[in-house]
Amino acid sequence: MRMFKITACVPSKTRTRTQRELQNTFFTKLVPYENWFSEQQRIQKMGGKIVKVQLATGKQGTNTGLL
């Protein structure tokens, strides 16, 4: 099973003292290949940004015709 290791940054859900003050939360998690698109949409809907994506398990280029 192929897994992606993603690092993302999302704004925190708790209210900050002032509107100008932003608090971001960075997190890293493993996401299965099949759930990648829905996870990507979820992060972007929360107003977050995907910082880094790495292939954690599986072979690189499996579904691109490269072996």
Side-chain angles (χ1 to χ4, degrees):
M1 176 184 244
R2 285 180 287 173
M3 302 280 277
F4 290 120
K5 179 179 160 187
I6 63 166
T7 303
C9 173
V10 292
S12 70
K13 296 174 186 173
T14 58
R15 285 286 270 167
T16 53
R17 286 175 295 196
T18 63
Q19 288 301 110
R20 281 185 278 158
E21 193 179 318
L22 271 178
Q23 276 199 294
N24 293 324
T25 306
F26 281 88
F27 64 91
T28 300
K29 70 187 279 187
L30 287 174
V31 178
Y33 177 76
E34 293 78 25
N35 300 343
W36 163 242
F37 187 69
S38 59
E39 184 66 28
Q40 183 181 8
Q41 283 185 322
R42 187 183 70 79
I43 291 168
Q44 289 174 341
K45 279 182 185 172
M46 289 169 44
K49 193 171 192 175
I50 296 169
V51 180
K52 184 165 69 169
V53 178
Q54 292 177 307
L55 186 65
T57 59
K59 286 186 186 169
Q60 211 163 0
T62 298
N63 65 338
T64 58
L66 302 172
L67 295 175

